[in-house]
């Protein structure tokens, strides 16, 4: 299916929308203040070894120490992972260590590291420490896989000790393009190694490309008809980058000069707003409810106002089929990762269940991220995982509500009134010398005291023998209040 890629660049933020059939399929956002770290290579220092967790914290110069598990430590001499060797026998505190970020810091967790370096080019991924040659799983034809492996082996210089992963885009690549990518990656690694010899930890040795360049390298494919860039300066930078490293892409780059903002013209701004909403409407009248928590994401499917043409089972089946397409798109749009639990509307027919699962897997096929999907559980849920290497869209663009602290709910005005009454009673017992208690609270809470809870205030005042007055604080949220002793 034909694709267009829109790149909106401002001084502090780059946004990318992947469009197909006039609909946004994927959103990527990077800010200069919070650039992703995945792919970056550091000379770090072992800050702490944790034998109990078989892990270590590595200082790479970030705000939080990064995390390295024993399974991600590569024995460069044996060219394999360290099998069964405890981490305290491999690492010592203060030791310098060459590491690469494989997962960005997410929430309260630091970056995840590996000592096995991989450097991505357009057609190949270079593995300097692993002589293995792998082929992308998306290239399914066995003959084609074998031919690609043989073609690459012929291009390797005799002194090559590393390995490569052949990316999907290499399937139709010319020999000269493969050789150019191979040479570029070997040169890049040689420069990184040279720098590492004199680097004092912690120090960054290599930063991955900025978002727009990564899009040209990783996302532009045969079905991409054009790439629109709305900044002249950045269009020129991208054109020069493409001309040097991927000339076959350069001809599809265009500088957008229209009067309307690029994202407005393609309704991308509306899609971003919708992608931050908890509820997603389906064309049939059904809807999804998407909730993100620290541990997992849950997606609930509802029929809403949809009424099937024949019977209720038919209505449920059609809603679930439509939902499976919508969920696959929302996972990409919102960049939802980790454990995801889907609650489709319960179906009695095994045939319907199988059809919905098949449709869902088909819709997921265009996702560039690694995904595993399990079948329906005994409770009728579908459990899946989607590899999480960076923050979700909501975590990039939003922060927890200062009023509810991320709970998604606030105490009612009634609840706050009763909290205040109990607090006054406690303080009256502790500070008997006070002449008056003044309540400072939001307009909603004070209104409730003046109306429905007026008798409660009067009874409390009589009981403690003190005057109780009220004052509105317009800056207070509904849950905030203070009791002032006069």
């Amino acid at each position: 299916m034909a694709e267009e890629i829109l790149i909106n660049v401002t001084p502090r933020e780059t946004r990318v929308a992947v469009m197909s059939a006039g609909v946004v399929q994927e959103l990527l956002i990077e800010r200069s203040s919070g650039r992703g770290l995945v792919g970056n290579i550091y000379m770090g220092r072992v800050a702490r070894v944790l034998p109990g967790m078989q892990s270590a914290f590595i200082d790479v110069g970030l705000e939080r120490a990064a995390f390295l598990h024993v399974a991600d430590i590569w024995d460069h001499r044996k060219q394999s992972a360290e099998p069964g060797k405890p981490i305290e026998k491999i690492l010592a505190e203060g030791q310098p260590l060459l590491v690469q970020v494989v997962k960005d810091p997410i929430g309260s967790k630091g970056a995840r590291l590996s000592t096995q370096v991989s450097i991505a080019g357009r057609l190949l991924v270079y593995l300097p420490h692993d002589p293995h040659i792998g082929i992308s799983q998306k290239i399914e034809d066995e003959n084609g896989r074998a031919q690609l492996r043989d073609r690459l082996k012929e291009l390797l210089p005799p002194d090559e000790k590393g390995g490569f992963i052949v990316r999907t885009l290499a399937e139709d690549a010319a020999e000269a393009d493969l050789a150019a990518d191979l040479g570029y990656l070997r040169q890049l690694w040689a420069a990184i190694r040279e720098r590492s010899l004199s680097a004092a930890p912690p120090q960054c040795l290599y930063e991955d490309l900025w978002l727009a360049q990564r899009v040209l390298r990783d996302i532009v494919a045969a079905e991409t008809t054009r790439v629109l860039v709305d900044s002249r300066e950045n269009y020129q930078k991208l054109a020069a980058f493409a001309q040097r490293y991927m000339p076959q892409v350069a001809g599809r780059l265009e500088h957008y000069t229209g009067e309307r903002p690029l994202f407005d013209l393609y309704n991308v701004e509306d899609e971003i707003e919708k992608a931050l909403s908890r509820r997603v409407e389906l064309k049939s009248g059904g809807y999804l409810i998407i909730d993100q928590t620290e541990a997992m994401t849950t997606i609930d499917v509802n029929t809403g106002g949809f009424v099937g043409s024949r019977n209720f089972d038919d209505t449920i089946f059609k809603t679930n089929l439509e939902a499976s397409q919508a969920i696959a798109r929302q996972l990409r749009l919102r960049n939802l990762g980790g454990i995801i639990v889907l609650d489709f509307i319960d179906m009695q027919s095994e045939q319907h269940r199988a059809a919905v699962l098949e449709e869902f897997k088909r819709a997921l096929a265009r996702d560039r991220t690694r995904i595993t999907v399990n079948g329906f559980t005994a409770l009728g849920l579908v459990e899946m995982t989607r590899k999480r290497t960076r923050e979700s869209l909501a975590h990039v663009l939003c922060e927890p509500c200062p009023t509810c602290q991320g709970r998604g709910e606030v105490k009612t005005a009634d609840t706050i009134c009763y909290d205040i009454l109990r607090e006054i009673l406690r303080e009256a017992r502790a500070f008997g010398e006070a002449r008056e208690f003044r309540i400072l609270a939001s307009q909603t809470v004070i209104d409730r005291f003046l109306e429905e809870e007026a008798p409660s205030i009067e009874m409390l005042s009589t009981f403690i023998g003190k005057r109780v007055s009220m004052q509105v604080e317009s800056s207070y949220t509904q849950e905030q209040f203070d009791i002032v002793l006069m």
Side-chain angles (χ1 to χ4, degrees), residues 2-255:
E3 269 183 0
E4 282 185 303
I5 295 176
L6 317 177
I7 302 179
N8 163 239
V9 185
T10 53
R12 305 287 291 169
E13 182 182 62
T14 300
R15 301 186 300 171
V16 175
V18 180
M19 309 289 298
S20 181
V23 177
V24 183
Q25 298 294 336
E26 200 169 341
L27 281 168
L28 302 162
I29 296 176
E30 183 175 86
R31 290 172 177 164
S32 54
S33 59
R35 271 191 65 180
L37 304 173
V38 172
N40 289 5
I41 298 172
Y42 295 87
M43 179 55 74
R45 181 189 290 111
V46 179
R48 195 170 164 211
V49 179
L50 306 170
M53 293 172 63
Q54 282 300 292
S55 303
F57 286 119
I58 312 294
D59 177 14
V60 293
L62 302 175
E63 187 180 334
R64 287 193 298 268
F67 180 81
L68 176 67
H69 189 264
V70 70
D72 296 316
I73 299 176
W74 194 255
D75 185 337
H76 298 162
R77 291 160 302 177
K78 296 179 184 175
Q79 294 178 326
S80 64
E82 296 269 15
K85 204 170 179 183
I87 197 164
E88 61 269 27
K89 295 284 176 69
I90 306 170
L91 301 180
E93 289 184 14
Q95 174 185 338
L97 195 65
L98 186 77
V99 289
Q100 184 172 39
V101 177
V102 293
K103 187 182 283 189
D104 274 334
I106 294 174
S108 58
K109 297 172 184 172
R112 178 88 183 247
L113 303 175
S114 171
T115 65
Q116 185 189 16
V117 171
S118 66
I119 308 171
R122 177 167 172 77
L123 306 174
L124 304 168
V125 176
Y126 185 33
L127 308 171
H129 303 134
D130 181 0
H132 170 73
I133 292 180
I135 309 291
S136 166
Q137 292 178 349
K138 293 196 174 181
I139 301 174
E140 295 177 351
D141 176 44
E142 281 303 322
N143 290 332
R145 291 169 69 88
Q147 285 173 11
L148 271 173
R149 190 177 277 110
D150 291 341
R151 282 172 63 197
L152 184 60
K153 281 180 178 175
E154 287 177 17
L155 293 172
L156 293 179
D159 65 335
E160 179 55 68
K161 293 183 173 61
F164 291 86
I165 296 169
V166 181
R167 306 184 75 175
T168 313
L169 289 171
E171 195 169 11
D172 304 314
E175 216 74 14
D177 294 334
L178 274 174
D181 214 37
L182 190 151
Y184 160 70
L185 290 170
R186 278 171 52 87
Q187 280 182 347
L188 182 57
W189 170 240
I192 293 167
R193 271 191 69 190
E194 186 68 31
R195 215 171 298 143
S196 72
L197 297 175
S198 56
Q203 189 174 327
C204 182
L205 303 176
Y206 166 76
E207 267 192 304
D208 200 9
L209 305 174
W210 64 291
L211 177 59
Q213 291 172 326
R214 294 202 307 275
V215 166
L216 296 192
R217 183 189 70 188
D218 300 336
I219 297 181
V220 175
E223 59 268 22
T224 308
T225 56
R226 61 177 179 166
V227 180
L228 287 172
V229 187
D230 66 1
S231 154
R232 178 180 297 280
E233 182 189 346
N234 287 281
Y235 163 73
Q236 289 169 346
K237 284 182 185 174
L238 286 174
F241 174 79
Q243 204 65 56
R244 183 175 177 188
Y245 297 112
M246 46 201 72
Q248 70 279 27
V249 170
R252 285 176 267 177
L253 269 175
E254 293 181 27
H255 177 216

Side-chain angles (χ1 to χ4, degrees), residues 297-309:
T297 298
T298 61
I299 303 179
D300 185 32
V301 183
N302 299 275
T303 53
F306 178 46
V307 179
S309 54

